[in-house]
Amino acid sequence: MAEARITSQDVARLAGVSQSAVSRVFTPGASASKATIAKVQKAAEHLGYRPNALARAMITGKSRIIGLVVAYLDNQFYPVALERISNALQASGYHVLVFMASNTQDGIEPVVQELMGYQVDGIITASVGMSNDLTDRCAAAGIPVVMFNRGQDGSGHSAVTSANVEGGRKVAEFLIAGGHRHIAHIAGWSGSSTGRDRQRGFEEGLAAHSQAPVAVIDGLYDRQVAAQATRDVMALTPRPDAIFVGNDHMAFAVLDTLRSMGISVPGEVSVVGYDDVPLAAYGAYELTTVRQPLNRMVEATVETLLAKIEDPGRPVQKIEIDGPLILRGSARIPQGWTT
């Protein structure tokens, strides 16, 4: 026969404390004296007790589970970001459920519905948009949502991004200062706020010097699309002498394609990306790129979500965090240029 389940009452009797004291010891953020903690942990270890998270959720109305939704992991930026978000949430006493969802409403809707079924305390979406209907349903259920690396006007959700418009403008200033006059842009997906904002900042930066891109192609954040876009822009006359790419994931494909065409980087063409993923620093690429301040973005995302969980009346926040241009070997560096 199966052994009887060990309960918090059993632990309380052995430790010589109240059941509420046992509950406080195993509740993140609750207070208990060092002596009580030691007695309860010793009794729990002796009995093999494990706290019942589902039972606690039923009592407190809090699951201490956060849903984390991401559209794709091909881009090296997102596995790193998800790891850091998960670690930060776990350090605050929360569990994390990670779901993949295509960047369409047909893809995101069933995932959010499932997360609501788990009675998550909050949701973080990483480069995923949400319809007004889903927004309303989350609001009705009292589930706060924070959008990471994506903004969405009128969504009613807080959002944390890098300063994308300013980042695009920095790239334009850098390339102009380097003497480039025929500059192409392989943009991020035009359906995303990040892609649109980086493109807008870049075009405004060029316009300030009475210039415009020789070509703008939507790279869809896809390597194969970016590779073909590279071949297309390099067939122009005159050929571009610089290419700004909407993220590093595509920029690596651009560099690979240029080298396969026998085109010198940065001798003939400078290439600048956006994100500063770990691979950007590898000797095979040495990619000049705008760094997304990931640690600060993660910290702001987690703080914003947990604050909203504690205070549902807290106003929506739109947080943009500036990041530096990181100079490496894929682009000509203007004399005396500093970030």
Side-chain angles (χ1 to χ4, degrees), residues 41-331:
Q41 288 180 338
K42 182 178 180 180
E45 184 177 353
H46 177 77
L47 294 172
Y49 169 75
R50 294 293 181 270
N52 189 328
L54 294 177
R56 184 188 301 131
M58 292 177 66
I59 295 169
T60 64
K62 297 291 186 182
S63 66
R64 299 200 71 83
I65 297 174
I66 302 298
L68 188 50
V69 186
V70 63
Y72 66 117
L73 293 175
D74 292 343
N75 180 353
Q76 197 180 30
F77 178 75
Y78 288 104
V80 176
L82 294 190
E83 178 184 6
R84 295 184 189 180
I85 291 172
S86 296
N87 288 341
L89 288 169
Q90 288 167 7
S92 297
Y94 284 83
H95 305 285
V96 181
L97 284 179
V98 179
F99 283 80
M100 300 296 298
S102 62
N103 220 328
T104 65
Q105 289 312 309
D106 289 342
I108 183 65
E109 182 159 352
V111 169
V112 173
Q113 287 283 66
E114 188 169 358
L115 285 171
M116 292 172 72
Y118 279 102
Q119 298 185 345
V120 296
D121 290 342
I123 296 174
I124 295 173
T125 63
S127 281
V128 175
M130 289 181 64
S131 69
N132 290 335
D133 180 53
L134 280 178
T135 293
D136 291 343
R137 275 185 270 172
C138 287
I143 301 175
V145 177
V146 176
M147 307 182 79
F148 175 81
N149 202 35
R150 173 72 61 84
Q152 189 169 320
D153 292 338
S155 69
H157 298 312
S158 292
V160 178
T161 67
S162 63
N164 289 299
V165 174
E166 180 59 26
R169 189 177 290 114
K170 286 180 183 179
V171 174
E173 294 286 347
F174 170 76
L175 292 174
I176 292 292
H180 299 88
R181 296 298 178 263
H182 304 287
I183 307 171
H185 181 35
I186 299 177
W189 177 43
S190 61
S192 69
S193 64
T194 52
R196 295 191 302 271
D197 288 348
R198 292 169 193 176
Q199 179 180 337
R200 177 162 69 90
F202 180 63
E203 291 180 334
E204 288 176 354
L206 291 183
H209 296 272
S210 302
Q211 290 208 40
V214 296
V216 176
I217 298 178
D218 189 334
L220 301 175
Y221 292 135
D222 182 276
R223 279 184 56 88
Q224 297 305 316
V225 174
Q228 183 57 53
T230 305
R231 291 186 283 269
D232 292 343
V233 298
M234 296 312 294
L236 297 174
T237 302
R239 274 195 331 192
D241 55 10
I243 304 174
F244 170 41
V245 192
N247 72 358
D248 292 353
H249 179 64
M250 294 190 297
F252 299 139
V254 171
L255 288 169
D256 290 340
T257 302
L258 290 172
R259 289 164 180 166
S260 73
M261 297 171 69
I263 296 172
S264 171
V265 176
E268 297 176 74
V269 182
S270 288
V271 176
V272 179
Y274 203 111
D275 280 340
D276 194 30
V277 301
L279 191 60
Y282 284 24
Y285 291 109
E286 280 291 309
L287 179 64
T288 291
T289 183
V290 178
R291 173 177 292 164
Q292 294 221 69
L294 183 54
N295 288 339
R296 287 190 289 155
M297 289 171 65
V298 166
E299 181 180 354
T301 299
V302 171
E303 286 183 352
T304 300
L305 182 65
L306 299 190
K308 186 70 171 178
I309 291 171
E310 292 301 317
D311 178 11
R314 188 182 179 92
V316 168
Q317 292 180 278
K318 304 296 183 183
I319 300 172
E320 293 187 355
I321 304 175
D322 193 27
L325 179 65
I326 304 301
L327 305 182
R328 298 193 181 98
S330 69

